[in-house]
Amino acid sequence: MDILQILCYDILPLLFFIGAGYLLDSHFPLDLNTYNKLVIWVILPCFIFYSMAQYTPDWSTVVLVPAFIVLLLAAWLLSRLTARLLGITGPRRSVYQTVCTYSNAGNIGIVLVVFIFSHVPFLGADGSAPWLDEARGSVVLLLILMNIAVNIFGACQIHAEHISLRNLAAFAARMPALYAVLAGLFVQYTGLPLEGTFVWPVLHHFSGAFIVMITIIVGAHVHRSRLHRPSPVILAAAAQKLIAAPLIAWAIIEAMGCFSPVEAQVFLITASIPPSFTIVMYAAEYRNHSWFAAQSVLVSTFLGIITMTCVIYAARILYPAGL
Amino acid sequence: MAFLHIITDNILPLILFVVIGYLMDRRFQLNVASLTKLTFYLVLPCFIFYSIYSAELDMNLVNVFLFCCVQMALLGAAGAFFGKLRGFAPGKTEAFKNGTMFSNNGNIGVALIALIYTNAPYGSEGNAPYLAEALAVSTMTLVQMNMTLNTLGLYQAGKGRLSPMDTLRVIFHMPVLYTLAAVFTIKYVGFDMTVTPLWPVFQNCANALVAIVMMALGMQIHRSRISFGDVDAWIGCGLRLIGGPVVAAVLIFLWNAFGTGFSNVTSQVILIMSCVPSAVNSVLYAVEFHNYEDFATELVMMSTFASCVTMTLTIYAARLLFPIPLL
């Protein structure tokens, strides 16, 4: 029973972590700023660097970049169309569109992909996980793209601000993750033997802390936003993010036809991830329909439990990579 | 020189974490309590469960467990005596005891043992005749440390500020005791935890422990007023790093003379495990109960630095006191 296995070993552990974050936040006054700062400045860069140092990308991975851009554009256009159908206009439309477009690749996406590719059917006979490095490499690439997209285009949309090259460059230059990528590329290129040095265990332990920290953050966010009865618009946004987006991703994979099975699975799964909590943060900061943003993200996150399970299962059947 | 590896592979990474925590706290206003809560209520219980569940306990080594308890009690008595001698406030005595009784077996001790018995003169590539026994003994001492540090250590830190009853009430609201009860029950029953959905949670939390705890220590160091001229802290270091192995050596000789006796490999491992610097968790406990945080931090920091010298000496002494055939 593959689908039960996915529920049991991928979705449930994720829910346990999110639940732990929820409970911790409901019992103690947690300072999310501390977690965020540590993740953004230390833990995420180390994770990215560690993943890149372990996985040598070949040129076919680069195909994910245009595929990702097409996916975002298609999702964005579709949400524009449905916004017109549902009669959503003005500032609310931009929030609606961001919810339909940007995935929570950084938290839920990475954790799921790491879980998925570290157990059967993706295990070798000796208990090693031969696909994990490639999967992690691919998801890190998608994560970086998604981070750039949500933090620049998403933020500008919500703020109804003009997207300029200058904004873009200024944001990218402030992103520690970008420097981690550059350092990772440097190590790849020069072949520096990091594995024997004292830096390696540090990177290893930070990558270990990554999954715990980011899922706790999600749990705390869920705790801080109360769930209400979803309106039709919220459900429409969820349907687009959770069902339409993976379908679009599937079409893109088939149209491009040059994905490796692991890349295809990761791309499909990343497309099916619920919307990012970053959107809620921006909506609150710019005071643009923050209640609507929080409800949409929350409802999609809950419904995503079902749809993600299905997408992970479908990915396995469509693009078999197991042993 | 195999010992240099311990400094580069085990101590330097720990210091790097601490430095990162320190710098992050200086740059941003962070909140240590958010990390200690995360540790006490999620990461540490999972780590304890994971490490005890995956440890292959050799029941023939129960006397090693008892030995460690006796040794710990002696060190605690010495700490209490010293506290009385110097007229410490009760809270400071408890912090002193926590810094001397408990050591960083998990991060430094076990790695040290694994390294020593796979390298010259006790082993070489693919040939490590003493390793299995050494690891079994060090696992036993690690389990003993995990059990006592996270119960008794927590109690002692709390007793510095609260009445014994209040301390117990706090501890019974923490998951550590229940985790210990659960893991031994499950181990005894023989239930396979690795097939449950909880297993990835335990695994990932266990992986996260070191980074989170060490960064919290770095943040705490940034907040503490640390003076390297604190005589009490240096005496605590001495008791931990020199007193620990001396007590262990004397006890081993007594145990061999009057008790069941240990093999020389086991004796070496016990001696080496007793020279490891103070446990980092004692700082987190001090923070949690606001019990002499600065003093606890000083003890851990100083003993970690000083151990680079004393651990080398102890490893050498172990070779002389309990000789085993060299390769």
Side-chain angles (χ1 to χ4, degrees):
Chain A
M1 282 303 283
D2 264 358
I3 205 133
L4 267 185
Q5 190 202 23
I6 293 168
L7 258 178
C8 209
Y9 294 119
D10 303 324
I11 306 284
L12 263 184
L14 180 71
L15 287 183
F16 284 148
F17 271 118
I18 295 177
Y22 184 98
L23 286 177
L24 273 177
D25 194 52
S26 60
H27 280 80
F28 308 109
L30 293 188
D31 176 31
L32 282 189
N33 180 46
T34 299
Y35 295 162
N36 282 332
K37 285 284 188 294
L38 289 177
V39 167
I40 293 172
W41 285 88
V42 182
I43 296 176
L44 176 66
C46 284
F47 179 83
I48 290 177
F49 182 77
Y50 183 74
S51 309
M52 287 189 69
Q54 277 195 320
Y55 170 62
T56 318
D58 50 51
W59 280 106
S60 72
T61 317
V62 180
V63 83
L64 289 172
V65 178
F68 176 81
I69 295 170
V70 173
L71 173 68
L72 279 200
L73 275 179
W76 194 75
L77 287 175
L78 180 69
S79 65
R80 182 119 199 167
L81 195 73
T82 53
R84 172 165 296 177
L85 290 177
L86 294 165
I88 307 166
T89 50
R92 193 156 173 241
R93 187 182 66 189
S94 51
V95 175
Y96 172 78
Q97 281 191 282
T98 49
V99 171
C100 294
T101 313
Y102 305 109
S103 299
N104 194 348
N107 301 50
I108 296 177
I110 285 206
V111 176
L112 264 188
V113 166
V114 169
F115 282 166
I116 290 169
F117 287 94
S118 16
H119 63 70
V120 282
F122 301 105
L123 280 190
D126 54 347
S128 63
W131 311 101
L132 185 59
D133 286 346
E134 187 186 353
R136 206 161 41 187
S138 312
V139 82
V140 160
L141 180 66
L142 290 174
L143 153 87
I144 294 164
L145 293 172
M146 189 61 90
N147 266 349
I148 294 176
V150 74
N151 286 301
I152 296 173
F153 298 108
C156 289
Q157 274 172 358
I158 292 172
H159 200 181
E161 201 184 345
H162 184 60
I163 302 169
S164 71
L165 255 177
R166 217 176 116 194
N167 280 353
L168 212 125
F171 178 80
R174 279 202 310 269
M175 205 164 76
L178 190 77
Y179 297 100
V181 174
L182 294 179
L185 286 176
F186 179 76
V187 168
Q188 282 276 345
Y189 183 73
T190 55
L192 268 178
L194 272 181
E195 209 143 336
T197 68
F198 73 97
V199 183
W200 196 251
V202 174
L203 291 171
H204 176 80
H205 282 295
F206 273 130
S207 311
F210 182 69
I211 288 182
V212 175
M213 288 295 243
I214 57 181
T215 45
I216 293 299
I217 292 175
V218 173
H221 275 303
V222 171
H223 172 247
R224 286 173 193 202
S225 32
R226 300 239 170 281
L227 184 63
H228 292 265
R229 200 187 157 84
S231 70
V233 174
I234 287 173
L235 287 177
Q240 274 180 75
K241 183 70 214 75
L242 299 173
I243 299 167
L247 285 176
I248 297 170
W250 176 60
I252 293 170
I253 297 169
E254 290 299 320
M256 295 180 94
C258 52
F259 284 66
S260 79
V262 172
E263 283 160 15
Q265 287 202 22
V266 171
F267 188 67
L268 201 58
I269 293 166
T270 313
S272 76
I273 305 296
S276 168
F277 280 93
T278 319
I279 297 168
V280 183
M281 194 189 78
Y282 281 123
E285 191 162 317
Y286 299 139
R287 295 169 196 287
N288 185 2
H289 292 88
S290 53
W291 190 84
F292 173 68
Q295 288 303 309
S296 309
V297 171
L298 210 56
V299 169
S300 302
T301 304
F302 279 114
L303 293 177
I305 295 166
I306 304 161
T307 56
M308 281 189 296
T309 313
C310 301
V311 171
I312 296 168
Y313 183 64
R316 230 170 248 190
I317 293 171
L318 287 171
Y319 308 104
L323 294 163
Chain B
M1 178 69 191
F3 183 72
L4 269 183
H5 274 286
I6 283 297
I7 295 185
T8 56
D9 291 0
N10 299 96
I11 295 183
L12 218 52
L14 293 185
I15 292 174
L16 190 58
F17 282 120
V18 169
V19 169
I20 289 172
Y22 184 95
L23 292 178
M24 285 297 290
D25 194 45
R26 209 172 69 166
R27 174 82 174 71
F28 307 103
Q29 278 297 310
L30 299 184
N31 179 280
V32 188
S34 293
L35 288 186
T36 54
K37 291 284 187 244
L38 180 64
T39 309
F40 289 143
Y41 288 89
L42 178 68
V43 176
L44 186 64
C46 288
F47 170 82
I48 292 174
F49 192 100
Y50 182 80
S51 61
I52 294 183
Y53 183 83
S54 10
E56 283 170 28
L57 290 182
D58 183 348
M59 278 310 150
N60 296 323
L61 294 175
V62 165
N63 49 357
V64 172
F65 188 93
L66 291 176
F67 180 95
C68 292
C69 292
V70 173
Q71 187 200 0
M72 201 171 260
L74 287 177
L75 284 174
F81 177 71
F82 179 75
K84 191 143 270 178
L85 204 68
R86 295 271 298 170
F88 283 172
K92 191 167 181 184
T93 305
E94 300 301 334
F96 188 85
K97 274 159 70 183
N98 266 359
T100 50
M101 289 164 72
F102 305 113
S103 61
N104 197 348
N105 274 355
N107 294 138
I108 298 176
V110 173
L112 191 62
I113 296 299
L115 201 78
I116 290 172
Y117 293 95
T118 48
N119 280 293
Y122 298 129
S124 56
E125 196 87 17
N127 176 28
Y130 307 119
L131 186 64
E133 183 181 349
L135 281 183
V137 174
S138 65
T139 307
M140 194 47 115
T141 61
L142 178 67
V143 168
Q144 191 267 350
M145 184 63 70
N146 273 341
M147 285 174 66
T148 49
L149 167 65
N150 297 307
T151 51
L152 185 62
L154 195 60
Y155 175 74
Q156 291 187 159
K159 215 174 72 182
R161 274 295 146 102
L162 307 171
S163 72
M165 271 322 280
D166 286 338
T167 311
L168 283 180
R169 202 166 295 136
V170 173
I171 292 176
F172 275 106
H173 276 100
M174 291 184 156
V176 173
L177 286 179
Y178 308 105
T179 312
L180 282 171
V183 68
F184 283 109
T185 314
I186 288 172
K187 230 176 141 71
Y188 182 74
V189 174
F191 182 72
D192 186 3
M193 280 302 286
T194 56
V195 297
T196 65
L198 273 173
W199 192 246
V201 178
F202 291 149
Q203 249 176 338
N204 281 291
C205 285
N207 282 337
L209 182 78
V210 175
I212 293 176
V213 167
M214 295 312 290
M215 279 197 298
L217 176 65
M219 287 157 64
Q220 189 54 42
I221 289 177
H222 177 236
R223 278 131 201 254
S224 305
R225 281 182 305 277
I226 291 173
S227 76
F228 276 94
D230 187 344
V231 180
D232 295 333
W234 281 115
I235 292 174
C237 284
L239 193 55
R240 169 75 255 153
L241 297 174
I242 300 166
V246 168
V247 168
V250 172
L251 264 182
I252 292 171
F253 282 119
L254 287 177
W255 213 275
N256 285 345
F258 300 106
T260 43
F262 294 120
S263 76
N264 276 5
V265 177
T266 305
S267 306
Q268 279 200 1
V269 174
I270 293 176
L271 189 60
I272 293 169
M273 290 299 270
S274 66
C275 75
V276 173
S278 304
V280 178
N281 284 21
S282 64
V283 173
L284 298 195
Y285 296 152
V287 172
E288 178 77 12
F289 289 106
H290 303 293
N291 184 39
Y292 289 88
E293 297 104 306
D294 292 2
F295 185 63
T297 313
E298 273 174 8
L299 261 175
V300 168
M301 247 182 63
M302 290 177 186
S303 67
T304 305
F305 283 119
S307 69
C308 294
V309 180
T310 55
M311 284 199 296
T312 323
L313 295 176
T314 312
I315 294 167
Y316 191 69
R319 191 182 295 179
L320 295 181
L321 287 174
F322 309 106
I324 53 178
L326 306 181
L327 293 183

